[in-house]
């Protein structure tokens, strides 16, 4: 098999060849059709997440070994199955749910794989889809995508599921409320597209990039704001219930400035959902949390229930597609550079 791999943290990916893996036990070998390029790949390539204050969460210390193959938005075709891989057949075309737990702990046994302390997520902890083949531990992680284009279908396994599961955390808000989506990149734009199916309330979008604000409006946002504009908080609050602020905010960036913007735009008893992994620390005055009865919660990708619900929803044809462009896998380093420079609208997928 052929893969583009991290050989050294922080360096461009390099092509490597290895013998095709043979699926053992419940494993399934997929021939990769295409794989979406996600912002978190940039962090994994660098080898750490920025915790702020000069502190880093290093992937090497989490057990990620080099060489490592990135890529977690995978769609492919089954080419070989292990002796215990019941339910998978050669020729099946499926998207791959990459958020996989150890399979042995109590959380995994109960299907709460995201709570597992020893995740083996594809492309993040184990080898992923920037390759012509990928090994999947069990057929249950393969989801039928019907007649959706594979280039679009793969984006639902990270960009889509991340947006969907974050939106679900604000599904309690009534029609008179407002949710602010901060950051209209691949995931934020997916959230705007999915919002009518998940939320009861209206959605507004904040982004510092005029092009992304325009894309958000076209995707159905009821208003857009430039969060780098000092007047944006007041302007945004003016369109919310009693001018009090938003009932919920989803920060798809996860930077100090966006988290602060989100807190400032919330009404009392509002909920901030933090999704983005940009990094840093946010010095937010602590009395605000009790006095304004705020809730802050994190949201990380989604589970098998979320991906099944999401693919069923997408297959109804009611979710507009995000813009997707295809590139050869050999150009992956250029694609990562464009993503790092903030030049990508929607998603780029690579094909081996
Ligand atoms: Zn991702
Ligand atoms: Zn586990």
């Amino acid at each position: 098999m052929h893969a583009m791999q991290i050989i050294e943290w922080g360096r461009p990916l390099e092509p490597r060849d290895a013998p095709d893996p043979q699926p053992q036990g419940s494993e399934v070998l997929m021939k990769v059709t295409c794989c979406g390029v996600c912002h978190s790949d940039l962090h994994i390539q660098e080898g750490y997440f920025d915790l702020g204050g000069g502190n880093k969460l290093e992937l090497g210390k989490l057990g990620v070994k080099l060489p490592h193959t990135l890529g977690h938005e995978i769609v492919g075709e089954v080419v070989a199955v292990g002796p215990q891989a019941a339910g998978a057949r050669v020729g099946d075309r499926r998207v791959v749910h990459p958020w996989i737990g150890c399979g042995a702990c109590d959380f995994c046994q109960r299907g709460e794989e995201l709570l597992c302390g020893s995740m083996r997520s594809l492309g993040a902890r184990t080898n992923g889809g920037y390759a012509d083949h990928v090994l999947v531990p069990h057929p249950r992680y393969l989801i039928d995508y019907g007649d959706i284009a594979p280039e679009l279908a793969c984006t639902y396994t990270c960009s889509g599921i991340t947006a969907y599961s974050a939106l679900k955390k604000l599904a309690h808000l009534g029609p008179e409320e407002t949710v602010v989506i901060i950051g209209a990149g691949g995931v934020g734009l997916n959230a705007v597209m999915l919002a009518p199916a998940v939320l009861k309330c209206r959605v507004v979008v904040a982004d510092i990039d005029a092009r992304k604000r325009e894309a958000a409006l076209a995707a159905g946002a009821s208003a857009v704001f430039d969060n780098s504009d000092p007047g944006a908080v007041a302007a945004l609050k003016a369109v919310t219930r009693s001018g009090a602020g938003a009932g919920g905010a989803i920060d798809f960036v996860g930077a100090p400035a966006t988290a602060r913007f989100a807190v400032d735009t919330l009404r009392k008893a509002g909920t901030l959902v933090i999704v983005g992994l940009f990094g840093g620390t946010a010095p937010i005055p602590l009395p605000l949390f009790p006095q304004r009865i705020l809730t802050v919660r994190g949201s990380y990708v989604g589970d098998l229930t979320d991906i099944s619900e999401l693919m069923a929803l997408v297959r109804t044809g009611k979710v507009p597609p995000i813009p997707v462009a295809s590139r050869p896998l050999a150009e992956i380093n250029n694609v990562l550079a464009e993503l790092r420079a903030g030049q990508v609208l929607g998603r780029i997928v690579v094909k081996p």
Side-chain angles (χ1 to χ4, degrees):
M1 66 178 282
H2 177 75
M4 291 296 290
Q5 295 191 302
I6 306 174
I7 304 300
E8 193 183 331
W9 298 119
R11 302 286 308 151
L13 310 189
E14 293 181 27
R16 288 289 187 275
D17 292 298
D20 283 351
Q22 301 299 320
Q24 314 289 320
S26 64
E27 289 175 341
V28 180
L29 182 66
M30 307 284 290
K31 184 179 183 321
V32 177
T33 308
C34 56
C35 185
V37 183
C38 174
H39 223 97
S40 56
D41 290 331
L42 301 177
H43 297 289
I44 304 173
Q45 183 191 14
E46 279 155 11
Y48 65 90
F49 289 91
D50 176 11
L51 300 180
N55 297 312
K56 294 175 177 179
L57 178 65
E58 290 181 33
L59 290 158
K61 288 185 182 157
L62 291 175
V64 182
K65 293 188 181 62
L66 298 183
H68 175 75
T69 308
L70 286 167
H72 52 265
E73 289 188 348
I74 306 165
V75 62
E77 184 178 329
V78 175
V79 290
V81 297
Q84 277 100 50
R89 275 189 320 238
V90 170
D92 284 348
R93 297 168 50 170
R94 298 287 184 266
V95 294
V96 183
H97 178 77
W99 314 111
I100 297 174
C102 73
C105 74
D106 188 59
F107 297 110
C108 286
Q109 294 285 314
R110 292 167 192 261
E112 299 173 307
E113 287 183 67
L114 286 186
L115 309 189
C116 177
S118 309
M119 297 286 291
R120 41 180 185 159
S121 301
L122 300 177
R125 299 293 171 83
T126 60
N127 286 328
Y130 292 172
D132 51 14
H133 289 81
V134 66
L135 210 49
V136 181
H138 194 281
R140 69 171 172 272
Y141 303 112
L142 305 180
I143 317 289
D144 194 352
Y145 59 93
D147 48 18
I148 305 166
E151 294 82 0
L152 177 65
C154 68
T155 68
Y156 291 110
T157 63
C158 178
S159 166
I161 196 176
T162 299
Y164 181 74
S165 118
L167 288 168
K168 273 172 81 177
K169 293 175 173 78
L170 297 174
H172 59 280
L173 294 167
E176 68 285 3
E177 299 284 355
T178 301
V179 161
V180 189
I181 286 175
I182 303 164
V187 185
L189 206 55
N190 237 326
V192 178
M193 308 275 200
L194 290 165
V198 185
L199 298 180
K200 298 185 273 291
C201 62
R202 109 182 123 249
V203 164
V204 301
V205 170
D207 199 295
I208 56 172
D209 181 340
R211 224 165 47 113
K212 289 180 182 160
R213 289 198 299 274
E214 220 162 276
L217 270 182
S222 39
V224 291
F225 301 88
D226 176 358
N227 46 309
S228 67
D229 173 353
V233 170
L236 195 157
K237 284 177 116 169
V239 305
T240 63
R241 182 183 177 191
S242 301
I250 309 177
D251 182 359
F252 284 112
V253 182
T258 51
R260 185 61 208 252
F261 180 80
V263 167
D264 289 345
T265 57
L266 288 177
R267 63 157 165 75
K268 280 181 150 185
T271 302
L272 165 59
V273 182
I274 301 179
V275 180
L277 292 167
F278 183 88
T281 55
I284 297 169
L286 294 178
L288 291 184
F289 292 93
Q291 286 169 353
R292 293 177 52 206
I293 326 170
L294 300 176
T295 301
V296 179
R297 58 186 303 190
S299 187
Y300 182 70
V301 297
D303 59 20
L304 271 174
T305 306
D306 294 325
I307 192 71
S308 304
E309 289 174 3
L310 175 59
M311 291 317 292
L313 175 64
V314 170
R315 288 176 67 181
T316 63
K318 286 180 193 150
V319 181
I322 58 163
V324 176
S326 296
R327 301 270 287 275
L329 174 60
E331 290 180 19
I332 184 63
N333 287 311
N334 296 337
V335 176
L336 290 168
E338 287 163 34
L339 195 60
R340 190 169 272 119
Q343 292 165 351
V344 177
L345 199 63
R347 217 35 152 199
I348 293 180
V349 304
V350 288
K351 294 184 171 180

